Amino acid sequence: MSSTAAASMPEPKPAATVLAVIAIAIGYVLNPINSSLVITAYPHLAETFGVPYAWMSAMVMYFMAATGVALPLAGGLGDYLGRKTIFLIGISGFTLVSGWAGFVNSYDGLLVCRVLQAVFSGLIMANGVALLGQVVPREKFGFYLGILTSAVVTGTAAGFPLGGFLVQTFDWHLLFWINVPFGVLALLLALFCLPRDRPTGARFTAMSFIGVPFVPLSFGLQAVIQGDEGRFSALFYAAAFVAALGALVYGIAASSRSRAQFAEVNRFPFHMACLMALLLAGVQFGVFFMLPAWIGVTLGMEGGVLGGYMSILSLTMLVCSPLAGRWLDHRGAGLLTLLTVLGVLLCMLLLMFVLNKVTFALALIALGIAGASSQLVTQWAALGSVPESSKALANGIFNSVRSAGSLCGNALVALVLLGYQPITKEAGVQVLQWQFWVFLVPLVLVVIGLHASARRRAASGP
């Protein structure tokens, strides 16, 4: 969108801005609420469908792979066709699939529903933050991004204990049916409270397919986890991953529009923000996948009790997210990046060496602080480095890479847990040790490299 066109757009009134932010937030939390509802039910679902707990990783990995495909695709479509339009389609589809999921009676059927939920949630998430940037003042974007994150973690916090309660009291079907009334509410608010789509002048290019290689990657990892039960060999999926990656590179290189759009996101801060998000997601989502089974064994927590403890993490993020957003607006990302690394490290140390109910709560608080600061720091850095016309696509790519980190983190946990049947206390310690070397050490190196680069730029002057 040109500067003249932007200047001609009337500034929204404060009341209209608040309503628009609420509409975006309610739509944005549909997927996080559902995910936290399902996480605490993993052991119950594994028992219900008669599959090993490690196989439940497919519920996460296929979901993340579909999200990885949908996010940049949805971002490109949003920049091209209209962000509100794609946002509304995402809410509608997610609501319908959630209603359908409660009627399936097989593990494979539930996997299909989770994949479709991921596709539609990708439409919501890729365009939600870009819509936020359209309705709030630029100088307060970090604060409102913190508010949006707070809404996400509020829903997540409610989902953990609610999921445990629903499974213990009723059955797993309600984990999905409960999304329907929330989806209808989100659809009505978004329809009437969000402003009309603005033209951006963007074009739909091959860049929007940047998440496609994640599909064979996720299927290959799950084939390794399931061993002889995998439907195809991991080598087949490895070849498919290479072929998809090659086709993507060729598609971008062969189109001048794709190359121009790639140039808009081909910036060092954007790449580093994506890499940090990938590594952090590998730790965070790996821990989430491990805890329902591991804490049930080590501390005797199940269902609603575990959900109540897990809500500590989300409530910590609820408090920290707007504070971190305001900090970003005024002081930048330096201290928050340090808090992120220290929070993840403290969480891992508490879980590994001094695990009891008190230290488990402290570990969740540490992870909550890290989760709030990490999501804001990385997303703020990524979106701040690209032009307005490509923000939805950039946000889609960023979240797609973050989904890849989640996918890899869950795969690592599942592979380790396969060696422990049944799951023991030692299994969780082994998982955390692997996560330390695979994700946390590279994260520290990336942060050190970013700090050194920033100092060199500051020393060289403008």
Side-chain angles (χ1 to χ4, degrees), residues 247-284:
L248 175 66
V249 172
Y250 175 79
I252 294 174
S255 166
S256 59
R257 286 180 175 174
S258 295
R259 293 195 303 271
Q261 202 166 45
F262 175 73
E264 291 188 338
V265 299
N266 185 26
R267 306 178 184 202
F268 182 77
F270 180 78
H271 295 318
M272 290 299 99
C274 288
L275 181 57
M276 286 181 62
L278 183 147
L279 295 170
L280 286 163
V283 177
Q284 293 171 311

Side-chain angles (χ1 to χ4, degrees), residues 398-419:
F398 168 83
N399 281 293
S400 182
V401 173
R402 191 167 181 267
S403 297
S406 307
L407 187 155
C408 294
N410 279 272
L412 176 64
V413 172
L415 288 170
V416 174
L417 293 182
L418 280 175

Side-chain angles (χ1 to χ4, degrees), residues 31-111:
N31 174 48
I33 288 176
N34 185 246
S35 295
S36 61
L37 284 169
V38 174
I39 283 175
T40 50
Y42 280 163
H44 176 81
L45 291 172
E47 182 180 354
T48 298
F49 293 112
V51 299
Y53 183 80
W55 285 24
M56 295 303 295
S57 63
M59 293 282 289
V60 181
M61 293 207 301
Y62 293 169
F63 184 91
M64 290 301 175
T67 302
V69 174
L71 281 166
L73 188 61
L77 287 171
D79 287 334
Y80 181 48
L81 297 177
R83 294 161 184 174
K84 179 180 178 179
T85 299
I86 303 302
F87 190 74
L88 291 172
I89 293 173
I91 293 174
S92 303
F94 190 91
T95 303
L96 290 172
V97 172
S98 296
W100 173 34
F103 292 101
V104 302
N105 55 10
S106 69
Y107 176 65
D108 288 343
L110 196 59
L111 280 178

Side-chain angles (χ1 to χ4, degrees), residues 125-197:
M125 295 175 69
N127 291 281
V129 175
L131 282 169
L132 185 70
Q134 292 179 189
V135 300
V136 304
R138 180 182 296 274
E139 64 274 11
K140 294 184 178 180
F141 178 73
F143 172 72
Y144 279 103
L145 186 60
I147 294 294
L148 185 60
T149 303
S150 294
V152 169
V153 298
T154 299
T156 305
F160 283 127
L162 181 59
F165 170 77
L166 290 176
V167 168
Q168 284 187 335
T169 308
F170 302 101
D171 204 351
W172 65 268
H173 304 82
L174 284 176
L175 299 175
F176 296 92
W177 285 336
I178 199 172
N179 295 313
V180 175
F182 289 109
V184 173
L185 174 62
L187 181 63
L188 292 174
L189 284 172
L191 186 63
F192 293 108
C193 297
L194 291 181
R196 290 181 298 173
D197 284 318

